Short mmCIF file of all heavy atoms in Angstrom, two decimals:
data_model
loop_
_atom_site.label_atom_id
_atom_site.label_comp_id
_atom_site.label_asym_id
_atom_site.label_seq_id
_atom_site.Cartn_x
_atom_site.Cartn_y
_atom_site.Cartn_z
N ARG V 489 25.98 -13.95 10.26
CA ARG V 489 25.44 -12.87 11.02
C ARG V 489 24.18 -13.25 11.74
O ARG V 489 23.50 -14.19 11.31
CB ARG V 489 25.17 -11.65 10.06
CG ARG V 489 26.38 -11.23 9.34
CD ARG V 489 26.08 -10.38 8.08
NE ARG V 489 25.59 -9.03 8.47
CZ ARG V 489 25.33 -8.09 7.56
NH1 ARG V 489 25.43 -8.36 6.25
NH2 ARG V 489 24.95 -6.89 7.96
N CYS V 494 20.61 -6.73 15.39
CA CYS V 494 20.70 -6.26 14.05
C CYS V 494 19.72 -5.11 13.87
O CYS V 494 18.58 -5.14 14.38
CB CYS V 494 20.36 -7.41 13.08
SG CYS V 494 20.34 -6.97 11.34
N VAL V 495 20.14 -4.03 13.22
CA VAL V 495 19.23 -2.88 12.93
C VAL V 495 18.53 -3.11 11.62
O VAL V 495 19.17 -3.22 10.56
CB VAL V 495 20.03 -1.56 12.89
CG1 VAL V 495 19.12 -0.41 12.58
CG2 VAL V 495 20.75 -1.38 14.26
N VAL V 496 17.22 -3.24 11.69
CA VAL V 496 16.44 -3.53 10.50
C VAL V 496 15.47 -2.35 10.24
O VAL V 496 14.64 -1.96 11.05
CB VAL V 496 15.60 -4.80 10.69
CG1 VAL V 496 14.78 -5.13 9.43
CG2 VAL V 496 16.55 -5.95 11.02
N LEU V 497 15.61 -1.74 9.07
CA LEU V 497 14.74 -0.67 8.65
C LEU V 497 13.64 -1.26 7.76
O LEU V 497 13.93 -1.86 6.78
CB LEU V 497 15.54 0.41 7.89
CG LEU V 497 14.79 1.71 7.52
CD1 LEU V 497 15.83 2.84 7.42
CD2 LEU V 497 14.08 1.57 6.15
N ILE V 520 13.42 -0.15 12.93
CA ILE V 520 13.15 1.25 12.58
C ILE V 520 12.06 1.22 11.48
O ILE V 520 12.24 0.65 10.39
CB ILE V 520 14.40 1.93 12.03
CG1 ILE V 520 15.51 1.94 13.10
CG2 ILE V 520 14.09 3.34 11.64
CD1 ILE V 520 16.83 2.53 12.64
N VAL V 522 9.53 3.12 8.76
CA VAL V 522 9.34 4.30 7.89
C VAL V 522 8.01 4.19 7.20
O VAL V 522 7.75 3.20 6.55
CB VAL V 522 10.51 4.42 6.87
CG1 VAL V 522 10.24 5.61 5.97
CG2 VAL V 522 11.83 4.55 7.56
N TYR V 537 9.59 6.88 11.82
CA TYR V 537 9.86 8.08 11.08
C TYR V 537 8.96 8.18 9.84
O TYR V 537 8.41 7.18 9.40
CB TYR V 537 11.32 8.18 10.69
CG TYR V 537 12.32 8.19 11.84
CD1 TYR V 537 12.84 6.92 12.26
CD2 TYR V 537 12.67 9.32 12.49
CE1 TYR V 537 13.74 6.92 13.31
CE2 TYR V 537 13.58 9.27 13.54
CZ TYR V 537 14.10 8.06 13.96
OH TYR V 537 15.01 8.03 15.01
N ASP V 540 10.38 11.16 4.61
CA ASP V 540 11.37 12.22 4.28
C ASP V 540 12.65 12.13 5.13
O ASP V 540 13.59 12.87 4.93
CB ASP V 540 10.76 13.62 4.47
CG ASP V 540 10.20 13.89 5.90
OD1 ASP V 540 10.41 13.08 6.75
OD2 ASP V 540 9.56 14.94 6.05
N GLN V 541 12.69 11.21 6.15
CA GLN V 541 13.87 10.97 6.95
C GLN V 541 14.70 9.79 6.44
O GLN V 541 15.69 9.43 7.07
CB GLN V 541 13.43 10.72 8.40
CG GLN V 541 12.78 11.91 9.09
CD GLN V 541 13.71 13.06 9.22
OE1 GLN V 541 14.82 12.91 9.75
NE2 GLN V 541 13.33 14.26 8.76
N LEU V 542 14.27 9.17 5.34
CA LEU V 542 14.91 7.98 4.85
C LEU V 542 16.43 8.12 4.67
O LEU V 542 17.20 7.24 5.03
CB LEU V 542 14.24 7.53 3.54
CG LEU V 542 14.65 6.18 2.96
CD1 LEU V 542 14.34 5.03 3.95
CD2 LEU V 542 13.90 5.91 1.67
N ASP V 543 16.85 9.25 4.10
CA ASP V 543 18.27 9.41 3.80
C ASP V 543 19.15 9.38 5.05
O ASP V 543 20.30 8.91 4.99
CB ASP V 543 18.49 10.70 3.05
CG ASP V 543 17.96 10.68 1.61
OD1 ASP V 543 17.79 9.54 1.12
OD2 ASP V 543 17.76 11.71 1.00
N THR V 544 18.67 9.89 6.15
CA THR V 544 19.44 9.89 7.36
C THR V 544 19.43 8.51 8.06
O THR V 544 20.32 8.27 8.90
CB THR V 544 18.93 10.98 8.35
OG1 THR V 544 17.58 10.72 8.69
CG2 THR V 544 19.00 12.38 7.68
N LEU V 545 18.43 7.67 7.76
CA LEU V 545 18.33 6.41 8.42
C LEU V 545 19.07 5.29 7.72
O LEU V 545 19.53 4.35 8.36
CB LEU V 545 16.82 6.05 8.51
CG LEU V 545 15.94 6.97 9.28
CD1 LEU V 545 14.45 6.65 9.12
CD2 LEU V 545 16.29 6.95 10.78
N LEU V 546 19.19 5.38 6.39
CA LEU V 546 19.84 4.29 5.62
C LEU V 546 21.23 3.93 6.10
O LEU V 546 21.56 2.73 6.15
CB LEU V 546 19.85 4.66 4.15
CG LEU V 546 18.50 4.65 3.42
CD1 LEU V 546 18.62 5.18 2.01
CD2 LEU V 546 17.92 3.22 3.41
N PRO V 547 22.09 4.90 6.48
CA PRO V 547 23.44 4.50 6.92
C PRO V 547 23.49 3.70 8.21
O PRO V 547 24.49 3.10 8.58
CB PRO V 547 24.17 5.84 7.09
CG PRO V 547 23.40 6.81 6.27
CD PRO V 547 22.00 6.36 6.33
N ARG V 548 22.37 3.71 8.94
CA ARG V 548 22.31 2.95 10.26
C ARG V 548 21.88 1.50 10.07
O ARG V 548 22.13 0.69 10.98
CB ARG V 548 21.30 3.67 11.16
CG ARG V 548 21.68 5.10 11.52
CD ARG V 548 20.58 5.67 12.39
NE ARG V 548 20.24 4.85 13.54
CZ ARG V 548 19.13 4.93 14.30
NH1 ARG V 548 18.24 5.94 14.00
NH2 ARG V 548 18.93 4.17 15.33
N ALA V 549 21.26 1.17 8.98
CA ALA V 549 20.58 -0.13 8.90
C ALA V 549 21.46 -1.23 8.37
O ALA V 549 22.10 -1.08 7.31
CB ALA V 549 19.34 0.04 8.02
N ASP V 550 21.43 -2.39 9.04
CA ASP V 550 22.08 -3.60 8.57
C ASP V 550 21.20 -4.26 7.50
O ASP V 550 21.70 -4.96 6.65
CB ASP V 550 22.33 -4.55 9.72
CG ASP V 550 23.18 -3.96 10.79
OD1 ASP V 550 24.35 -3.67 10.53
OD2 ASP V 550 22.71 -3.79 11.96
N VAL V 551 19.85 -4.06 7.63
CA VAL V 551 18.92 -4.64 6.71
C VAL V 551 17.92 -3.57 6.36
O VAL V 551 17.42 -2.84 7.21
CB VAL V 551 18.19 -5.84 7.35
CG1 VAL V 551 17.13 -6.38 6.38
CG2 VAL V 551 19.14 -6.92 7.80
N VAL V 552 17.62 -3.47 5.06
CA VAL V 552 16.52 -2.59 4.61
C VAL V 552 15.47 -3.51 3.94
O VAL V 552 15.74 -4.22 3.00
CB VAL V 552 16.99 -1.56 3.59
CG1 VAL V 552 15.83 -0.80 3.00
CG2 VAL V 552 17.98 -0.57 4.25
N PHE V 566 14.32 3.98 -4.13
CA PHE V 566 15.66 3.52 -3.87
C PHE V 566 16.51 3.70 -5.15
O PHE V 566 16.72 2.80 -5.89
CB PHE V 566 15.70 2.07 -3.31
CG PHE V 566 15.20 2.04 -1.91
CD1 PHE V 566 13.84 2.03 -1.61
CD2 PHE V 566 16.11 2.04 -0.84
CE1 PHE V 566 13.37 1.96 -0.31
CE2 PHE V 566 15.66 2.01 0.47
CZ PHE V 566 14.31 2.03 0.77
N GLU V 569 21.62 6.94 -5.80
CA GLU V 569 22.12 7.77 -4.72
C GLU V 569 21.72 7.22 -3.33
O GLU V 569 22.56 7.17 -2.44
CB GLU V 569 21.54 9.22 -4.87
CG GLU V 569 22.03 10.18 -3.81
CD GLU V 569 21.42 11.57 -4.01
OE1 GLU V 569 20.58 11.76 -4.92
OE2 GLU V 569 21.80 12.47 -3.21
N ARG V 570 20.45 6.78 -3.21
CA ARG V 570 20.06 6.24 -1.92
C ARG V 570 20.68 4.88 -1.65
O ARG V 570 21.05 4.57 -0.50
CB ARG V 570 18.51 6.06 -1.91
CG ARG V 570 17.79 7.41 -1.68
CD ARG V 570 16.56 7.21 -0.85
NE ARG V 570 16.06 8.52 -0.43
CZ ARG V 570 15.07 9.18 -1.10
NH1 ARG V 570 14.55 8.67 -2.19
NH2 ARG V 570 14.71 10.36 -0.64
N LEU V 571 20.86 4.04 -2.63
CA LEU V 571 21.50 2.75 -2.39
C LEU V 571 22.93 2.92 -1.92
O LEU V 571 23.40 2.18 -1.07
CB LEU V 571 21.46 1.92 -3.68
CG LEU V 571 20.11 1.39 -4.10
CD1 LEU V 571 20.16 0.81 -5.54
CD2 LEU V 571 19.53 0.40 -3.17
N LYS V 572 23.59 3.92 -2.40
CA LYS V 572 24.94 4.24 -1.99
C LYS V 572 25.03 4.74 -0.56
O LYS V 572 26.07 4.67 0.12
CB LYS V 572 25.61 5.23 -2.97
CG LYS V 572 25.93 4.61 -4.32
CD LYS V 572 26.50 5.69 -5.25
CE LYS V 572 26.69 5.12 -6.67
NZ LYS V 572 27.07 6.16 -7.64
N LYS V 573 23.89 5.28 -0.08
CA LYS V 573 23.84 5.78 1.29
C LYS V 573 23.62 4.63 2.29
O LYS V 573 23.77 4.81 3.54
CB LYS V 573 22.70 6.81 1.48
CG LYS V 573 22.98 8.13 0.84
CD LYS V 573 21.85 9.10 0.98
CE LYS V 573 22.22 10.47 0.31
NZ LYS V 573 21.11 11.43 0.45
N MET V 574 23.30 3.48 1.80
CA MET V 574 23.09 2.33 2.71
C MET V 574 24.45 1.94 3.28
O MET V 574 25.53 2.16 2.73
CB MET V 574 22.48 1.15 1.94
CG MET V 574 21.02 1.33 1.64
SD MET V 574 20.29 -0.03 0.69
CE MET V 574 20.55 -1.40 1.86
N LYS V 575 24.36 1.35 4.46
CA LYS V 575 25.54 0.90 5.20
C LYS V 575 26.36 -0.12 4.39
O LYS V 575 25.75 -1.02 3.75
CB LYS V 575 25.08 0.28 6.52
CG LYS V 575 26.13 -0.03 7.51
CD LYS V 575 25.47 -0.59 8.79
CE LYS V 575 26.42 -0.82 9.89
NZ LYS V 575 25.69 -1.30 11.11
N GLN V 576 27.65 0.01 4.42
CA GLN V 576 28.54 -0.95 3.76
C GLN V 576 28.26 -2.35 4.31
O GLN V 576 28.25 -2.57 5.51
CB GLN V 576 30.01 -0.59 4.01
CG GLN V 576 31.02 -1.58 3.46
CD GLN V 576 31.14 -1.51 1.93
OE1 GLN V 576 31.02 -0.43 1.38
NE2 GLN V 576 31.43 -2.59 1.33
N GLY V 577 27.96 -3.29 3.42
CA GLY V 577 27.71 -4.67 3.89
C GLY V 577 26.30 -4.95 4.27
O GLY V 577 25.97 -6.03 4.71
N ALA V 578 25.38 -3.98 4.07
CA ALA V 578 23.98 -4.19 4.39
C ALA V 578 23.32 -5.08 3.33
O ALA V 578 23.89 -5.32 2.23
CB ALA V 578 23.26 -2.83 4.44
N VAL V 579 22.14 -5.61 3.66
CA VAL V 579 21.39 -6.35 2.70
C VAL V 579 20.02 -5.72 2.52
O VAL V 579 19.56 -4.98 3.37
CB VAL V 579 21.19 -7.84 3.17
CG1 VAL V 579 22.56 -8.49 3.39
CG2 VAL V 579 20.34 -7.92 4.39
N HIS V 602 29.46 -3.16 -2.17
CA HIS V 602 28.91 -2.20 -1.23
C HIS V 602 27.75 -2.75 -0.45
O HIS V 602 27.61 -2.60 0.74
CB HIS V 602 28.44 -0.92 -1.97
CG HIS V 602 27.74 0.05 -1.07
ND1 HIS V 602 28.43 0.75 -0.08
CD2 HIS V 602 26.44 0.50 -1.03
CE1 HIS V 602 27.57 1.53 0.53
NE2 HIS V 602 26.36 1.37 0.02
N LEU V 603 26.91 -3.56 -1.13
CA LEU V 603 25.82 -4.33 -0.44
C LEU V 603 26.22 -5.79 -0.45
O LEU V 603 26.73 -6.32 -1.41
CB LEU V 603 24.50 -4.16 -1.18
CG LEU V 603 23.93 -2.73 -1.19
CD1 LEU V 603 22.58 -2.71 -1.93
CD2 LEU V 603 23.75 -2.17 0.21
#
Side-chain angles (χ1 to χ4, degrees):
R489 302 162 72 177
C494 178
V495 178
V496 181
L497 186 153
I520 300 175
V522 177
Y537 300 92
D540 60 7
Q541 296 294 308
L542 188 59
D543 289 341
T544 62
L545 299 170
L546 288 173
R548 297 177 52 195
D550 300 297
V551 178
V552 173
F566 285 82
E569 183 181 1
R570 282 215 170 96
L571 291 171
K572 289 174 184 175
K573 288 181 179 179
M574 287 178 61
K575 188 176 185 179
Q576 176 75 33
V579 303
H602 175 67
L603 296 181

